[in-house]
Amino acid sequence: MIVLALAFVFGAFCLQQMPFLPSLYWALALIPLLLIQIKLVNVNQHFLAYLKRPLLILLSFLFGFFWATTLAAIRLSDELPATWENKPLEIVGVVASVSELTERGERFRFDVEKVLTKAAVTPQHISLSYYSPEAWGEPRMLNTARLAQFKAGERWQFTVRLKRPHGTQNPYGFDFEAWALAENIRATGSIKAKADNKKLQDFVWRPAYIVEHVREIIQQRIALVLAGKPYSGVIQALVMGDDSQIAVNDWQLFLRTGTSHLMSISGLHITMLSGLVFAVVGFLWRRIPALVTRLPARKAATLAGMLAAVIYALIAGFAVPTQRTLYMLMVFALALWSGRQLVISQVLALALFVVVLFDPWAVISAGFWLSFGAVAMLSFALGARVGYAHWFKASLQTQWAVTIGMVPLLLIMFNQVSIVSPFANAIAIPLISFIVTPLALLGSFLPLDFVLQLAYHALDVCMMLLNWFNKLPDIVWQQHAAPLWTLLPATIGVLWLLLPRGVPMRWLGYLGFLPMLLITPQRPHTGDMKVTVLDVGQGLSVAVQTAAHTLLYDAGGKYSEQSDAGARIVLPFLRGEGVSRLNGFIVSHNDTDHSGGMRTVLAQVPVSWLVSSLPPSAEQSDNVKHVKCFSGQRWTWDDVDFQMIYPQPSSYNDAALTDNNRSCVLKISSASGSLLLTGDIERPVEMELIEQQQNNQAPISLKSDVMIAPHHGSKTSSSVEFINEVQPGLTIFTVGYLNRFRHPRVEIVKRYESGQSKILRSDYHGAITLNFVASNSKGAFNAAGWRKQNRRYWHDSY
């Protein structure tokens, strides 16, 4: 059974790695294989009997593969046609989730019932955002007691603009489109605030909407009772799985201490709450003979524990990670109820099968592998123990098994491990799971404010202890992204370390980590450079790597008070590339789509120096050497030349000059090609640079092999004269998908194409990697888009 379950899961996993969805006609290959297997059932003496088990494993694999294919085809068929993207659509439907409050409005899921726009087609399940006109003046704080305008279960008529699921695509980055597919969100969009939107019905009586309505009441109660409390968002996350109100600084604290898994509804909380109810009911049931005669105590406790898990999962909105835990507990509950003596490996394999059967996209989730991996490591480490261990020793063994057992997966998935995690979790797990969460749940359901306050005070104590851990030096081990195959020797090493103490030479297990630690991403050779134009949406961030140095040009935009491109995209990329220090950091100018991630980068990565055109009020360079950028600055790293060609030093005295036209313009030249980074300069600056070139006043030629299009391809830049002067063989537009500025302008793209320049766009191609290799002829470089390199069947092709 174990091997068959693993084969099924592996089949579903292989489907999720496919660049395209295979035709279901290939599933017909199962028929002859199945007939052969049926024929072999009663064959015992013939040599063909040896084929029964391999053939059964192959059938399980193919069943998993085509089962996942079938569900994927059904889900992908519910789509928004590209012809209806970003167009006004009138729809009628029901608010299907509790609204997530943002600084400028709210976001919720919406079930479309009817499309009123003639001939229009929309998916049934979408995500909508509403931006309140009153909030544009000054964003509202998240921890204030603000109620949502749109309530779960209400039927509304909206005028909306929709997009197909589309996110940024970067190495080591989050794949929003995969997440949207797993969550069955088939389009995203916004509600037109000035349109004739109207509520048609106060409440639609359906089970799913009733559950969401109850969750909404709980959310409002928490917001009112804990109004103004800095950690109220954590309480909300623990009770109902909505972690959108947790502050950025708190998330950093949890990540650095390895406790982020505790700060939302996780498998641990559901399991412990279910176990607590199981123990209490079992204890009380055994002491009432009349109840025992009707139903054995173990069965009653199992039923109560399972009921508690289901209720808690519903309060959590029955989110996908919660479903996985619930399915696993159901398998354990059935084993206990039936009285069958199943070994833990069999129960775990069956739970694995059930989870993937209902949710084949679970295999691309980090939480799936971490949760099942943790249980598997515990089973392996503690299963071979003989006799009874003292509770303190047993807890230490458990903590050691989980800590060392999860290191390979954490390094592969996140490129970092918290060193203080075992100690922080030893304190946080009992506090959060046995005190804070039960009290928070009790206080949310009962009209007893003091219970919620008590839960908050217990959480406050936990946060004080975590902050103490966070102040310790070097508490996080960070490293490069290791190749996936290094997970195998590392896992074997872990299993060897978890063997009983009497096994000789257990220290050899540490050798399994060597490939993961020593095999690093290849750096360019001397004279070469690797340039990665990151996909940060509507903004810019470029990482330039030479043999021994790394430069970051801009840090992308600021998406909200809680999120920016620095944290979401730039830092994961630098960590994955093994960059522990920036030798230089250039922020071209004071626009949030270029400087929005600057603070995060400066706070998380050591920087040798910062060069920018930022005004003093915007400078955030504590403990970092900061100078203004100006024409004439020049340096060489590893035989690669860097030269600033704009702005002029005198421009800082011109108060009328816009931030765009004070952008730091940098040219980078290597033996195999050159790159021009232009920031957001517009036509006046382009003409000034051309004039300097023609009058022999320019420090260096503008002609470049690759250029990042000025100002994202706006109509105020990329003049014909400038394009002719630069003569780029490749032009890259860094733009957001269907952005409101309509960048790049169609006429600008045609202008570059007329100049025989190849076009790449971050919204169509994702992050773009340029490899300038000295062995190539001058001007010969390789350009590749991440969407093509990392193509999956759920990605749109352009």
Side-chain angles (χ1 to χ4, degrees):
M1 182 184 76
I2 296 175
V3 175
L4 297 182
L6 292 177
F8 176 86
V9 172
F10 185 60
F13 175 80
C14 288
L15 186 276
Q16 310 308 334
Q17 313 309 311
M18 296 289 289
F20 58 88
L21 201 63
S23 171
L24 285 173
Y25 286 114
W26 286 103
L28 296 175
L30 288 172
I31 297 175
L33 291 175
L34 190 60
L35 292 175
I36 294 172
Q37 180 64 31
I38 294 172
K39 281 285 187 181
L40 292 176
V41 168
N42 297 319
V43 176
N44 296 315
Q45 304 299 326
H46 199 272
F47 74 93
L48 291 176
Y50 294 104
L51 295 178
K52 284 196 295 186
R53 186 169 179 79
L55 187 57
L56 190 58
I57 294 172
L58 177 61
L59 280 169
S60 297
F61 169 83
L62 292 175
F63 178 52
F65 184 88
F66 286 111
W67 173 254
T69 303
T70 303
L71 294 187
I74 293 171
R75 188 159 292 187
L76 288 175
S77 65
D78 185 28
E79 65 175 1
L80 176 71
T83 53
W84 285 103
E85 281 190 292
N86 219 22
K87 294 181 179 178
L89 296 170
E90 253 191 292
I91 59 175
V92 173
V94 182
V95 178
S97 71
V98 178
S99 287
E100 175 188 329
L101 301 179
T102 64
E103 293 104 345
R104 301 192 185 277
E106 55 194 274
R107 184 185 304 113
F108 53 87
R109 300 189 185 189
F110 192 73
D111 289 345
V112 179
E113 296 177 318
K114 186 187 301 183
V115 182
L116 302 180
T117 303
K118 187 177 180 180
V121 177
T122 70
Q124 183 180 355
H125 305 290
I126 64 177
S127 173
L128 292 177
S129 296
Y130 176 77
Y131 301 101
S132 173
E134 297 82 14
W136 283 103
E138 183 175 343
R140 294 169 286 193
M141 298 301 292
L142 289 180
N143 60 355
T144 57
R146 178 162 58 96
L147 299 180
Q149 181 174 342
F150 303 100
K151 306 293 194 302
E154 293 177 341
R155 178 175 280 128
W156 280 81
Q157 178 179 322
F158 289 133
T159 301
V160 301
R161 290 181 182 269
L162 298 178
K163 301 177 184 178
R164 296 166 67 89
H166 188 101
T168 57
Q169 288 289 319
N170 295 280
Y172 323 112
F174 174 67
D175 189 344
F176 168 79
E177 293 156 56
W179 175 85
L181 180 66
E183 294 287 330
N184 200 16
I185 297 175
R186 303 305 304 132
T188 62
S190 59
I191 301 167
K192 292 189 66 176
K194 296 182 180 179
D196 186 23
N197 302 313
K198 52 189 175 183
K199 183 164 63 173
L200 303 179
Q201 188 174 339
D202 286 335
F203 195 78
V204 177
W205 291 93
R206 293 178 192 164
Y209 302 147
I210 294 173
V211 170
E212 289 300 317
H213 181 64
V214 172
R215 297 181 69 237
E216 195 166 57
I217 294 172
I218 293 172
Q219 181 199 53
Q220 293 172 1
R221 171 163 171 73
I222 294 171
L224 290 172
V225 174
L226 302 179
K229 302 285 189 181
Y231 306 134
S232 60
V234 178
I235 294 291
Q236 179 176 308
L238 291 171
V239 172
M240 51 184 298
D242 180 7
D243 57 15
S244 62
Q245 309 302 300
I246 299 179
V248 173
N249 291 338
D250 292 337
W251 271 126
Q252 290 296 330
L253 172 68
F254 302 146
L255 288 171
R256 287 176 57 80
T257 55
T259 54
S260 56
H261 63 103
L262 294 175
M263 301 308 163
S264 61
I265 291 183
S266 65
L268 179 65
H269 297 326
I270 297 176
T271 303
M272 287 195 166
L273 181 67
S274 178
L276 184 64
V277 172
F278 177 90
V280 171
V281 171
F283 176 81
L284 296 175
W285 201 274
R286 289 187 185 93
R287 279 149 183 79
I288 305 176
L291 294 177
V292 176
T293 56
R294 290 179 177 271
L295 187 68
R298 189 168 80 164
K299 288 190 175 183
T302 300
L303 188 62
M306 198 63 247
L307 184 62
V310 170
I311 293 173
Y312 194 18
L314 290 174
I315 294 172
F318 213 57
V320 172
T322 310
Q323 293 176 31
R324 297 179 197 134
T325 303
L326 190 62
Y327 298 149
M328 187 188 297
L329 287 176
M330 282 181 175
V331 173
F332 279 93
L334 287 172
L336 284 172
W337 183 275
S338 64
R340 296 187 62 181
Q341 297 298 317
L342 294 177
V343 297
I344 186 65
S345 57
Q346 291 176 322
V347 176
L348 195 61
L350 185 56
L352 197 70
F353 170 76
V354 171
V355 168
V356 177
L357 183 70
F358 283 97
D359 177 21
W361 298 279
V363 295
I364 57 175
S365 165
F368 171 84
W369 297 106
L370 290 173
S371 58
F372 277 101
V375 176
M377 287 297 172
L378 279 174
S379 304
F380 178 82
L382 305 181
R385 308 292 176 185
V386 179
Y388 173 79
H390 188 270
W391 68 268
F392 183 73
K393 182 180 179 181
S395 63
L396 289 179
Q397 290 174 342
T398 301
Q399 194 64 51
W400 163 251
V402 172
T403 300
I404 193 67
M406 290 296 97
V407 166
L409 275 175
L410 290 171
L411 288 178
I412 285 288
M413 293 176 176
F414 306 113
N415 309 317
Q416 65 178 21
V417 173
S418 173
I419 297 173
V420 298
S421 172
F423 311 103
N425 277 287
I427 297 171
I429 287 175
L431 265 176
I432 298 296
S433 295
F434 291 124
I435 299 177
V436 177
T437 301
L439 286 175
L441 282 168
L442 194 63
S444 298
F445 280 99
L446 300 178
L448 302 173
D449 292 359
F450 78 92
V451 179
L452 260 181
Q453 297 284 0
L454 195 60
Y456 184 86
H457 289 310
L459 175 63
D460 197 25
V461 172
C462 183
M463 295 297 289
M464 288 173 57
L465 294 170
L466 293 181
N467 274 299
W468 182 83
F469 280 116
N470 192 41
K471 292 177 182 178
L472 298 175
D474 301 322
I475 66 169
V476 178
W477 169 265
Q478 295 184 342
Q479 70 154 52
H480 58 273
L484 184 60
W485 67 264
T486 61
L487 183 62
L488 179 60
T491 302
I492 293 173
V494 164
L495 295 177
W496 188 263
L497 288 171
L498 293 178
L499 289 172
R501 188 174 296 275
V503 175
M505 301 179 69
R506 289 171 67 228
W507 59 269
L508 288 174
Y510 292 108
L511 298 179
F513 286 95
L514 289 180
M516 185 173 284
L517 299 176
L518 298 180
I519 298 178
T520 62
Q522 186 176 359
R523 296 282 302 198
H525 298 296
T526 300
D528 300 345
M529 65 175 174
K530 176 184 176 182
V531 178
T532 306
V533 183
L534 294 170
D535 178 11
V536 294
Q538 185 68 21
L540 179 64
S541 185
V542 181
V544 182
Q545 296 173 271
T546 64
H549 297 81
T550 302
L551 170 75
L552 182 67
Y553 182 95
D554 283 343
K558 186 172 185 178
Y559 308 129
S560 68
E561 291 299 317
Q562 298 288 92
S563 174
D564 59 54
R568 280 193 187 181
I569 298 166
V570 178
L571 289 180
F573 173 78
L574 294 176
R575 191 181 303 124
E577 288 290 303
V579 176
S580 58
R581 183 181 188 86
L582 286 174
N583 303 100
F585 185 12
I586 297 175
V587 179
S588 63
H589 64 294
N590 191 31
D591 266 6
T592 54
D593 59 333
H594 293 252
S595 62
M598 178 183 65
R599 294 187 184 185
T600 301
V601 172
L602 289 174
Q604 298 293 323
V605 181
V607 177
S608 297
W609 49 257
L610 172 67
V611 169
S612 77
S613 64
L614 298 176
S617 60
E619 293 176 5
Q620 297 290 331
S621 54
D622 296 342
N623 303 319
V624 178
K625 178 184 177 183
H626 177 247
V627 296
K628 298 289 187 184
C629 63
F630 57 85
S631 177
Q633 291 170 323
R634 186 171 185 171
W635 67 97
T636 300
W637 286 340
D638 311 310
D639 294 340
V640 178
D641 187 63
F642 297 77
Q643 187 153 353
M644 199 75 68
I645 61 176
Y646 189 83
Q648 298 298 327
S650 58
S651 67
Y652 292 100
N653 300 321
D654 186 357
L657 196 66
T658 63
D659 288 330
N660 283 353
N661 284 329
R662 199 178 282 118
S663 295
C664 306
V665 179
L666 179 70
K667 182 173 181 181
I668 309 173
S669 304
S670 71
S672 58
S674 55
L675 168 71
L676 186 62
L677 298 167
T678 58
D680 275 355
I681 62 170
E682 296 172 329
R683 182 180 173 83
V685 174
E686 294 175 354
M687 293 300 103
E688 182 179 336
L689 289 171
I690 292 171
E691 183 180 354
Q692 292 175 5
Q693 191 80 58
Q694 293 173 346
N695 295 334
N696 295 321
Q697 296 175 349
I700 195 171
S701 171
L702 287 175
K703 189 177 186 307
S704 303
D705 297 295
V706 183
M707 179 169 67
I708 309 299
H711 201 190
H712 317 289
S714 74
K715 63 182 179 180
T716 60
S717 59
S718 297
S719 60
V720 174
E721 297 86 349
F722 188 67
I723 295 172
N724 291 337
E725 193 69 35
V726 178
Q727 300 178 36
L730 171 65
T731 302
I732 299 174
F733 293 98
T734 57
V735 292
Y737 182 66
L738 295 178
N739 62 86
R740 61 190 178 96
F741 307 104
R742 292 186 291 171
H743 292 163
R745 294 284 180 160
V746 175
E747 61 270 27
I748 299 298
V749 174
K750 289 181 179 179
R751 194 175 292 171
Y752 279 101
E753 290 175 339
S754 298
Q756 305 304 309
S757 181
K758 182 183 176 182
I759 303 297
L760 290 177
R761 301 171 47 153
S762 60
D763 57 342
Y764 290 173
H765 302 97
I768 297 162
T769 302
L770 308 167
N771 284 301
F772 294 84
V773 182
S775 58
N776 292 341
S777 60
K778 180 69 176 178
F781 56 87
N782 301 319
W786 184 247
R787 277 190 177 272
K788 185 176 181 180
Q789 288 179 290
N790 192 50
R791 175 108 173 101
R792 295 293 184 270
Y793 69 83
W794 54 81
H795 293 154
D796 283 336
S797 57
Y798 302 96

Short mmCIF file of all heavy atoms in Angstrom, two decimals, residues 525-559:
data_model
loop_
_atom_site.label_atom_id
_atom_site.label_comp_id
_atom_site.label_asym_id
_atom_site.label_seq_id
_atom_site.Cartn_x
_atom_site.Cartn_y
_atom_site.Cartn_z
N HIS A 525 33.03 34.46 -14.97
CA HIS A 525 34.48 34.53 -14.95
C HIS A 525 34.93 35.99 -15.07
O HIS A 525 34.13 36.88 -15.39
CB HIS A 525 35.07 33.71 -16.11
CG HIS A 525 34.75 32.24 -16.02
ND1 HIS A 525 35.19 31.45 -14.99
CD2 HIS A 525 34.00 31.44 -16.83
CE1 HIS A 525 34.75 30.21 -15.17
NE2 HIS A 525 34.02 30.18 -16.27
N THR A 526 36.20 36.22 -14.83
CA THR A 526 36.75 37.57 -14.95
C THR A 526 36.52 38.09 -16.37
O THR A 526 36.81 37.40 -17.35
CB THR A 526 38.25 37.58 -14.63
OG1 THR A 526 38.43 37.11 -13.29
CG2 THR A 526 38.84 38.97 -14.77
N GLY A 527 35.99 39.29 -16.47
CA GLY A 527 35.66 39.87 -17.76
C GLY A 527 34.25 39.60 -18.22
O GLY A 527 33.77 40.23 -19.16
N ASP A 528 33.57 38.64 -17.58
CA ASP A 528 32.18 38.32 -17.91
C ASP A 528 31.25 39.03 -16.93
O ASP A 528 31.66 39.50 -15.87
CB ASP A 528 31.92 36.82 -17.83
CG ASP A 528 32.79 36.03 -18.79
OD1 ASP A 528 33.36 36.66 -19.70
OD2 ASP A 528 32.90 34.80 -18.61
N MET A 529 29.99 39.06 -17.27
CA MET A 529 28.99 39.56 -16.32
C MET A 529 27.65 38.89 -16.56
O MET A 529 27.33 38.51 -17.70
CB MET A 529 28.85 41.08 -16.39
CG MET A 529 28.32 41.64 -17.69
SD MET A 529 28.07 43.44 -17.56
CE MET A 529 27.62 43.85 -19.25
N LYS A 530 26.92 38.73 -15.49
CA LYS A 530 25.57 38.18 -15.55
C LYS A 530 24.62 39.26 -15.06
O LYS A 530 24.78 39.77 -13.95
CB LYS A 530 25.46 36.93 -14.67
CG LYS A 530 24.06 36.34 -14.60
CD LYS A 530 24.02 35.17 -13.64
CE LYS A 530 22.60 34.63 -13.46
NZ LYS A 530 22.54 33.52 -12.50
N VAL A 531 23.66 39.60 -15.89
CA VAL A 531 22.70 40.65 -15.56
C VAL A 531 21.32 40.03 -15.47
O VAL A 531 20.88 39.33 -16.40
CB VAL A 531 22.70 41.77 -16.63
CG1 VAL A 531 21.67 42.84 -16.29
CG2 VAL A 531 24.09 42.38 -16.75
N THR A 532 20.63 40.26 -14.36
CA THR A 532 19.27 39.76 -14.19
C THR A 532 18.33 40.93 -14.02
O THR A 532 18.40 41.66 -13.03
CB THR A 532 19.15 38.82 -12.98
OG1 THR A 532 20.13 37.78 -13.08
CG2 THR A 532 17.76 38.21 -12.91
N VAL A 533 17.47 41.13 -15.00
CA VAL A 533 16.45 42.17 -14.93
C VAL A 533 15.24 41.52 -14.27
O VAL A 533 14.52 40.74 -14.90
CB VAL A 533 16.09 42.71 -16.33
CG1 VAL A 533 15.07 43.84 -16.22
CG2 VAL A 533 17.35 43.19 -17.06
N LEU A 534 15.05 41.82 -13.00
CA LEU A 534 14.00 41.15 -12.24
C LEU A 534 12.62 41.63 -12.65
O LEU A 534 12.43 42.79 -13.04
CB LEU A 534 14.21 41.40 -10.74
CG LEU A 534 15.48 40.77 -10.14
CD1 LEU A 534 15.73 41.28 -8.73
CD2 LEU A 534 15.37 39.25 -10.15
N ASP A 535 11.66 40.73 -12.55
CA ASP A 535 10.27 41.06 -12.84
C ASP A 535 9.63 41.53 -11.56
O ASP A 535 9.23 40.73 -10.71
CB ASP A 535 9.55 39.82 -13.39
CG ASP A 535 8.07 40.07 -13.68
OD1 ASP A 535 7.66 41.25 -13.65
OD2 ASP A 535 7.34 39.10 -13.93
N VAL A 536 9.55 42.86 -11.37
CA VAL A 536 8.98 43.43 -10.15
C VAL A 536 7.64 44.10 -10.44
O VAL A 536 7.17 44.93 -9.67
CB VAL A 536 9.95 44.44 -9.50
CG1 VAL A 536 11.20 43.76 -9.01
CG2 VAL A 536 10.30 45.57 -10.49
N GLY A 537 7.02 43.75 -11.57
CA GLY A 537 5.79 44.42 -11.96
C GLY A 537 6.12 45.77 -12.57
O GLY A 537 7.07 45.92 -13.33
N GLN A 538 5.31 46.77 -12.22
CA GLN A 538 5.54 48.12 -12.75
C GLN A 538 6.64 48.78 -11.93
O GLN A 538 6.40 49.45 -10.94
CB GLN A 538 4.25 48.94 -12.70
CG GLN A 538 4.34 50.31 -13.33
CD GLN A 538 4.49 50.25 -14.84
OE1 GLN A 538 4.16 49.24 -15.47
NE2 GLN A 538 5.00 51.31 -15.44
N GLY A 539 7.88 48.57 -12.33
CA GLY A 539 9.02 49.11 -11.60
C GLY A 539 10.30 48.59 -12.21
O GLY A 539 10.31 48.06 -13.33
N LEU A 540 11.40 48.72 -11.46
CA LEU A 540 12.69 48.29 -11.99
C LEU A 540 13.60 47.81 -10.88
O LEU A 540 13.66 48.42 -9.80
CB LEU A 540 13.37 49.44 -12.74
CG LEU A 540 14.76 49.14 -13.33
CD1 LEU A 540 14.66 48.08 -14.42
CD2 LEU A 540 15.39 50.42 -13.89
N SER A 541 14.28 46.71 -11.14
CA SER A 541 15.36 46.24 -10.28
C SER A 541 16.25 45.34 -11.13
O SER A 541 15.76 44.40 -11.76
CB SER A 541 14.83 45.47 -9.07
OG SER A 541 15.89 45.12 -8.21
N VAL A 542 17.55 45.66 -11.15
CA VAL A 542 18.51 44.93 -11.97
C VAL A 542 19.69 44.53 -11.11
O VAL A 542 20.27 45.36 -10.41
CB VAL A 542 19.01 45.79 -13.16
CG1 VAL A 542 19.99 44.99 -14.01
CG2 VAL A 542 17.84 46.28 -13.99
N ALA A 543 20.03 43.24 -11.13
CA ALA A 543 21.20 42.73 -10.41
C ALA A 543 22.31 42.43 -11.42
O ALA A 543 22.07 41.72 -12.40
CB ALA A 543 20.85 41.47 -9.62
N VAL A 544 23.50 43.00 -11.17
CA VAL A 544 24.65 42.81 -12.05
C VAL A 544 25.73 42.08 -11.27
O VAL A 544 26.19 42.57 -10.24
CB VAL A 544 25.18 44.15 -12.58
CG1 VAL A 544 26.35 43.92 -13.54
CG2 VAL A 544 24.08 44.94 -13.26
N GLN A 545 26.12 40.90 -11.75
CA GLN A 545 27.14 40.10 -11.09
C GLN A 545 28.37 39.96 -11.98
O GLN A 545 28.27 39.61 -13.15
CB GLN A 545 26.59 38.70 -10.76
CG GLN A 545 25.44 38.70 -9.78
CD GLN A 545 24.82 37.32 -9.63
OE1 GLN A 545 23.91 36.96 -10.37
NE2 GLN A 545 25.32 36.55 -8.69
N THR A 546 29.54 40.25 -11.39
CA THR A 546 30.81 39.97 -12.05
C THR A 546 31.47 38.82 -11.29
O THR A 546 30.82 38.17 -10.46
CB THR A 546 31.71 41.21 -12.05
OG1 THR A 546 32.03 41.58 -10.71
CG2 THR A 546 31.00 42.39 -12.73
N ALA A 547 32.74 38.57 -11.55
CA ALA A 547 33.39 37.41 -10.95
C ALA A 547 33.36 37.45 -9.42
O ALA A 547 33.18 36.42 -8.77
CB ALA A 547 34.84 37.32 -11.44
N ALA A 548 33.52 38.62 -8.83
CA ALA A 548 33.60 38.70 -7.36
C ALA A 548 32.79 39.85 -6.78
O ALA A 548 32.93 40.16 -5.59
CB ALA A 548 35.06 38.84 -6.93
N HIS A 549 31.95 40.50 -7.58
CA HIS A 549 31.20 41.66 -7.10
C HIS A 549 29.75 41.59 -7.56
O HIS A 549 29.44 40.98 -8.58
CB HIS A 549 31.83 42.96 -7.62
CG HIS A 549 33.22 43.21 -7.13
ND1 HIS A 549 34.32 42.61 -7.70
CD2 HIS A 549 33.69 43.98 -6.11
CE1 HIS A 549 35.42 43.00 -7.07
NE2 HIS A 549 35.06 43.84 -6.10
N THR A 550 28.88 42.27 -6.80
CA THR A 550 27.46 42.34 -7.14
C THR A 550 26.97 43.77 -6.96
O THR A 550 27.20 44.39 -5.92
CB THR A 550 26.61 41.39 -6.28
OG1 THR A 550 27.09 40.06 -6.43
CG2 THR A 550 25.15 41.44 -6.69
N LEU A 551 26.28 44.27 -7.98
CA LEU A 551 25.67 45.60 -7.95
C LEU A 551 24.17 45.45 -8.09
O LEU A 551 23.69 44.66 -8.92
CB LEU A 551 26.22 46.46 -9.09
CG LEU A 551 25.50 47.81 -9.32
CD1 LEU A 551 25.92 48.81 -8.24
CD2 LEU A 551 25.81 48.37 -10.71
N LEU A 552 23.42 46.20 -7.31
CA LEU A 552 21.96 46.24 -7.46
C LEU A 552 21.57 47.64 -7.92
O LEU A 552 21.93 48.64 -7.28
CB LEU A 552 21.26 45.91 -6.13
CG LEU A 552 19.73 45.87 -6.19
CD1 LEU A 552 19.25 44.72 -7.05
CD2 LEU A 552 19.13 45.76 -4.78
N TYR A 553 20.88 47.71 -9.04
CA TYR A 553 20.39 48.98 -9.58
C TYR A 553 18.88 49.02 -9.38
O TYR A 553 18.14 48.27 -10.01
CB TYR A 553 20.74 49.09 -11.05
CG TYR A 553 20.32 50.40 -11.73
CD1 TYR A 553 21.22 51.45 -11.85
CD2 TYR A 553 19.05 50.55 -12.25
CE1 TYR A 553 20.85 52.64 -12.49
CE2 TYR A 553 18.66 51.73 -12.88
CZ TYR A 553 19.57 52.77 -12.99
OH TYR A 553 19.20 53.94 -13.61
N ASP A 554 18.42 49.84 -8.44
CA ASP A 554 17.02 49.98 -8.05
C ASP A 554 16.51 48.73 -7.33
O ASP A 554 17.09 47.64 -7.44
CB ASP A 554 16.12 50.31 -9.24
CG ASP A 554 16.24 51.78 -9.65
OD1 ASP A 554 16.74 52.58 -8.84
OD2 ASP A 554 15.85 52.11 -10.78
N ALA A 555 15.42 48.89 -6.60
CA ALA A 555 14.92 47.81 -5.75
C ALA A 555 13.43 47.58 -5.91
O ALA A 555 12.78 47.02 -5.03
CB ALA A 555 15.24 48.10 -4.28
N GLY A 556 12.88 48.00 -7.06
CA GLY A 556 11.47 47.73 -7.29
C GLY A 556 10.55 48.62 -6.48
O GLY A 556 10.99 49.56 -5.81
N GLY A 557 9.26 48.33 -6.57
CA GLY A 557 8.26 49.20 -5.97
C GLY A 557 7.80 48.79 -4.59
O GLY A 557 8.16 47.74 -4.06
N LYS A 558 6.98 49.66 -4.02
CA LYS A 558 6.34 49.39 -2.74
C LYS A 558 4.87 49.09 -3.03
O LYS A 558 4.13 49.95 -3.51
CB LYS A 558 6.47 50.60 -1.81
CG LYS A 558 5.97 50.35 -0.41
CD LYS A 558 6.30 51.53 0.50
CE LYS A 558 5.90 51.23 1.94
NZ LYS A 558 6.26 52.33 2.85
N TYR A 559 4.45 47.87 -2.74
CA TYR A 559 3.09 47.45 -3.08
C TYR A 559 2.07 47.92 -2.04
O TYR A 559 0.93 48.21 -2.37
CB TYR A 559 3.03 45.93 -3.22
CG TYR A 559 4.08 45.38 -4.17
CD1 TYR A 559 4.91 44.33 -3.79
CD2 TYR A 559 4.24 45.92 -5.45
CE1 TYR A 559 5.87 43.82 -4.66
CE2 TYR A 559 5.21 45.42 -6.32
CZ TYR A 559 6.01 44.38 -5.92
OH TYR A 559 6.97 43.89 -6.78
#
